[in-house]
Amino acid sequence: MATKEPPLFRDIDRVLIDREAIAARVRAMGAEVAADLQRAIDRHHDPADAQVVLIPILTGALVFTADLIRQMPMMLCLRVVAVSSYPGRSMASKGAKIAGELPQDLAGKHVVIVDDILDTGQTLAVVKRLIQEQGPASVRICVLLRKPESCRKERIDADYSGFDIPDEFVVGYGLDYDGFYRNYPQIAVLRAAATSALESRA
Ligand code: XMP
């Protein structure tokens, strides 16, 4: 008897970045970010005083961050921040606002903001601005995916980017559509039928 394919897989139109490519790139990114941070720490008068804080933006950066930090063999703290960027089911970003508390003790620390994707740049611009106001030792932005510069509504770029992708709505590896598909292990584009089915449920 043929087994029925679960909707999670059935809804995928095509895979843009497969799990092997993601794993290899995240491994390299972790090593690069850690090496840069270590160099910054070594420049401190007393390197033991230097502190590294990674700030993943929930919920999309969850899967990426979990893999990234395990490629960073150094002392670091994790402090999450939640940002609501596009209410409802729409694929279009409508601006960003902090939903909850941003860590307030970042002065003098080396901060790395981690996000799943740089698209319009509104989310990262808000978070970076609020962090910079606290006077950290440094602020870096690390994203898994980056859409073309023509998508930006803010003048912002990532210091580390895993993959440049076309201007298409993607899901998987932490990225969602309507809260779903975050557990799909690769970066993929949904079938149009899947998105319209979810929209008609609204
Ligand atoms: P902005 O536009 O502020 O986007 O740079 C940041 C947040 O918007 C979400 N986003 C996406 N989510 N597929 C997704 O699943 C996409 O193609 C996409 N583009 C933007 C995401 O949460 C990101 O952190």
Side-chain angles (χ1 to χ4, degrees):
M1 195 177 72
T3 49
K4 221 173 140 203
E5 200 184 13
L8 182 68
F9 298 94
R10 205 168 50 215
D11 290 349
I12 300 301
D13 179 45
R14 63 192 192 283
V15 172
L16 281 190
I17 310 167
D18 67 25
R19 61 177 89 204
E20 288 79 17
I22 295 171
R25 187 71 187 107
V26 173
R27 207 176 306 125
M29 289 178 86
E32 188 188 352
V33 179
D36 287 353
L37 287 167
Q38 194 56 56
R39 269 192 291 277
I41 289 168
D42 292 343
R43 282 196 292 271
H44 280 242
H45 180 64
D46 181 357
D49 282 346
Q51 288 188 45
V52 171
V53 183
L54 258 70
I55 303 193
I57 301 181
L58 296 179
T59 306
L62 227 155
V63 179
F64 175 40
T65 305
D67 285 345
L68 185 76
I69 56 172
R70 285 177 288 172
Q71 304 297 331
M72 298 178 65
M74 65 194 308
M75 298 296 285
L76 60 81
C77 291
L78 211 55
R79 307 287 299 277
V80 297
V81 61
V83 173
S84 56
S85 54
Y86 48 100
R89 288 156 195 277
S90 168
M91 288 177 169
S93 189
K94 291 178 184 142
K97 71 175 199 316
I98 305 279
E101 287 272 298
L102 183 77
Q104 291 299 321
D105 56 349
L106 303 173
K109 298 180 182 173
H110 295 283
V111 176
V112 183
I113 307 167
V114 184
D115 207 358
D116 50 0
I117 187 166
L118 171 59
D119 189 343
T120 65
Q122 289 169 306
T123 302
L124 284 162
V126 167
V127 173
K128 187 176 183 185
R129 190 164 54 242
L130 292 172
I131 289 173
Q132 261 168 340
E133 283 171 5
Q134 296 185 39
S138 65
V139 184
R140 295 170 169 80
I141 292 178
C142 178
V143 297
L144 179 72
L145 307 173
R146 179 170 57 186
K147 285 195 181 175
E149 219 182 316
S150 54
C151 297
R152 279 331 154 259
K153 291 182 181 162
E154 296 278 347
R155 280 169 63 93
I156 192 158
D157 199 3
D159 300 280
Y160 310 94
S161 164
F163 302 91
D164 285 316
I165 62 164
D167 184 13
E168 285 194 90
F169 195 85
V170 292
V171 297
Y173 197 72
L175 292 110
D176 73 307
Y177 179 75
D178 193 25
F180 295 107
Y181 308 102
R182 293 194 198 276
N183 55 326
Y184 187 74
Q186 330 195 68
I187 301 294
V189 177
L190 284 178
R191 289 171 52 226
T195 54
S196 45
L198 284 167
E199 256 157 38
S200 65
R201 273 186 3 182

